[in-house]
Amino acid sequence: MFRPLSFYIGLRYTAAKRRNHFISFISLTSMIGLMLGVAVLIIVLSVMNGFDRELKEKVLGMVPHAVVKGDPYLEDWQAVDERVTEHPRVLAAAPFIEGQGMVTGGGNVRGVLIKGIVPEEEDTVSIVSSQMVEGSLDDLVPGEFGIIVGRPLAVSLKLQPGDRLTVVLPEASVSPAGVMPRLKRFTVVGVFSTGAELDGNYTLVHMEDAAKLMRTGGKAEGVRLLVDDLFAAPVVAEQAALSLGGRYYISDWTRTHGSLFSAIQMEKTIIGLLLMFIVAVAAFNIVSTLVMVVTDKTGDIAILRTMGATPGRIMRIFMVQGAIIGIFGTLVGTALGILGALYISDLISGLESVLNHQFLNADVYFISYLPSDLQWPDVAIISGAGLVMSLLATLYPAWRASRVDPAEALRYE
């Protein structure tokens, strides 16, 4: 008695068994299609968010947000370090020396980036200390020529802490025996692993040892900056360099890894739009369902009209029926999408173990596992879009139902 008549009849039509089972089948497929579309969209966007997070936390946790380099070296890196950290958006700074070379060990040769650091300073701007699997940054002692390597590099060269490897620089030195490449024996003192691609060609040595190897005269090549906002890094680096008042070269992560980040953002947007079309197709299947229901219920509509039901009430009856299909499909799809996004990483990891096959190879991708980062704003947008499209899909069939002529419909009854 107290239930709205339009809602009550719409609910009865939804739950009632139909003479035409094909209509029930189309209604069920519409609901399942909407459910799967919403779930897949949530899972895929969560995976894209996971790649975005891993890029920020791991890749950009290892590479500098921004750097200020000297021309060619910094005469007094301590003063530069102190000056740039006065900028309100610079959280920390650390000196470095970089060079490219080759390392040999275990009968293999690999090209690597050799980075000279001050361990206590590097710990403030990099995540490498938290990614150590053997040894620590404190094991880099000046004068002992210790080196820390990534796990893939250690595996490739069959290295363990305590092993020796030879670092070869692409610079020639003149000796009594002729022109010889510059080389030095180092001792492996640690191994790190971030799960990113750079683990395979990234090495760390003490800055004093790097200065001797690269003959910088004890000077740092530049200062690495950690900023409070990644996207503000170019501006912050420029402002910090201008505050020094000399001639400096600046760079930031957007020049070295910006294309990767942009590609992920673009892929997330495009994939999101494409999958939203799948949700739209599933939602608008409700149109065909309701059109057939209206055709099947033409006699009932005519009787309701003769009993005093207004066109607006008839329209609301079928809008309620379509809305129930859309709401149920969207809510179940949202629940499945949330569960899938939370456990997709474990599921893929288990599947890799069963198949004995790695889907994401670290030699190809910048991480070796499938990340997932469920963000509730994405869930809200996807669910809201599914509901809105479902409601819009009910308008035309409901309008057609409200236009049924009772006399014409009951003529042959």
Side-chain angles (χ1 to χ4, degrees):
M1 293 294 294
F2 300 101
R3 284 179 288 189
L5 183 61
S6 300
F7 179 80
Y8 176 68
I9 297 176
L11 188 62
R12 285 288 301 271
Y13 276 178
T14 304
K17 293 183 178 179
R18 299 185 177 88
R19 296 185 300 272
N20 189 340
H21 295 289
F22 183 69
I23 298 177
S24 300
F25 174 75
I26 294 297
S27 178
L28 180 62
T29 56
S30 299
M31 187 181 298
I32 293 176
L34 183 61
M35 185 190 311
L36 293 178
V38 170
V40 169
L41 184 53
I42 291 174
I43 292 173
V44 170
L45 288 188
S46 297
V47 171
M48 299 303 295
N49 291 331
F51 277 105
D52 186 31
R53 180 197 63 198
E54 295 301 312
L55 174 63
K56 291 179 180 177
E57 292 183 358
K58 292 199 170 180
V59 177
L60 297 182
M62 291 292 291
V63 303
H65 291 179
V67 296
V68 177
K69 294 184 178 181
D71 187 22
Y73 302 110
L74 297 179
E75 296 294 335
D76 185 1
W77 68 262
Q78 291 89 346
V80 173
D81 188 310
E82 182 178 352
R83 188 68 179 273
V84 295
T85 51
E86 293 176 358
H87 192 288
R89 306 198 66 175
V90 176
L91 303 180
F96 69 90
I97 298 174
E98 280 185 347
Q100 294 183 343
M102 295 186 299
V103 292
T104 63
N108 295 317
V109 180
R110 292 285 296 269
V112 296
L113 175 68
I114 304 163
K115 186 167 185 178
I117 63 170
V118 177
E120 57 272 19
E121 297 277 343
E122 187 71 13
D123 194 33
T124 63
V125 298
S126 172
I127 65 169
V128 66
S129 61
S130 63
Q131 306 297 317
M132 298 294 298
V133 293
E134 294 183 81
S136 69
L137 290 182
D138 295 333
D139 294 327
L140 294 177
V141 179
E144 294 188 3
F145 291 94
I147 187 170
I148 295 175
V149 300
R151 176 181 283 173
L153 182 61
V155 171
S156 174
L157 301 182
K158 303 175 183 177
L159 297 172
Q160 294 180 351
D163 290 347
R164 305 272 288 177
L165 60 78
T166 302
V167 175
V168 183
L169 295 185
E171 297 180 12
S173 299
V174 179
S175 68
V179 178
M180 300 289 291
R182 192 183 309 169
L183 51 87
K184 180 65 181 178
R185 296 281 285 176
F186 279 78
T187 302
V188 177
V189 296
V191 178
F192 69 88
S193 176
T194 64
E197 179 184 2
L198 53 80
D199 289 0
N201 56 10
Y202 199 81
T203 63
L204 298 170
V205 301
H206 198 282
M207 195 175 75
E208 290 188 17
D209 296 338
K212 294 176 182 177
L213 181 65
M214 301 177 193
R215 299 177 182 176
T216 67
K219 302 172 185 176
E221 180 182 348
V223 171
R224 169 179 176 170
L225 308 182
L226 177 70
V227 301
D228 60 352
D229 182 4
L230 284 171
F231 298 100
V235 176
V236 173
E238 182 178 0
Q239 293 173 349
L242 290 175
S243 68
L244 298 174
R247 184 176 179 180
Y248 298 93
Y249 172 76
I250 60 173
S251 182
D252 59 83
W253 70 271
T254 61
R255 302 183 186 182
T256 56
H257 292 78
S259 58
L260 180 59
F261 183 82
S262 299
I264 291 177
Q265 291 296 311
M266 183 180 67
E267 287 176 3
K268 178 184 174 182
T269 301
I270 293 176
I271 291 175
L273 289 175
L274 292 176
L275 292 178
M276 190 62 76
F277 282 121
I278 297 177
V279 177
V281 170
F284 281 98
N285 279 339
I286 297 174
V287 175
S288 59
T289 300
L290 291 184
V291 166
M292 287 187 287
V293 171
V294 169
T295 303
D296 188 56
K297 299 294 183 181
T298 299
D300 293 357
I301 297 170
I303 293 172
L304 289 171
R305 288 295 307 277
T306 58
M307 294 176 64
T310 63
R313 175 163 289 177
I314 298 297
M315 187 172 181
R316 288 193 294 273
I317 289 172
F318 288 94
M319 288 183 66
V320 166
Q321 185 177 358
I324 290 173
I325 297 173
I327 291 172
F328 184 80
T330 301
L331 292 181
V332 174
T334 300
L336 291 176
I338 291 173
L339 289 175
L342 292 176
Y343 296 103
I344 187 67
S345 299
D346 295 333
L347 179 63
I348 295 299
S349 178
L351 192 59
E352 288 178 339
S353 299
V354 171
L355 299 177
N356 196 25
H357 174 72
Q358 188 174 21
F359 295 115
L360 296 177
N361 193 325
D363 294 334
V364 179
Y365 303 97
F366 69 93
I367 58 174
S368 58
Y369 58 94
L370 188 69
S372 178
D373 181 19
L374 180 65
Q375 295 187 3
W376 294 110
D378 287 345
V379 175
I381 292 172
I382 295 167
S383 302
L387 291 174
V388 169
M389 287 188 287
S390 299
L391 293 176
L392 290 176
T394 66
L395 294 179
Y396 175 72
W399 177 80
R400 284 286 302 273
S402 69
R403 304 293 293 178
V404 169
D405 183 2
E408 186 68 25
L410 295 174
R411 175 178 298 179
Y412 302 106
E413 291 292 332

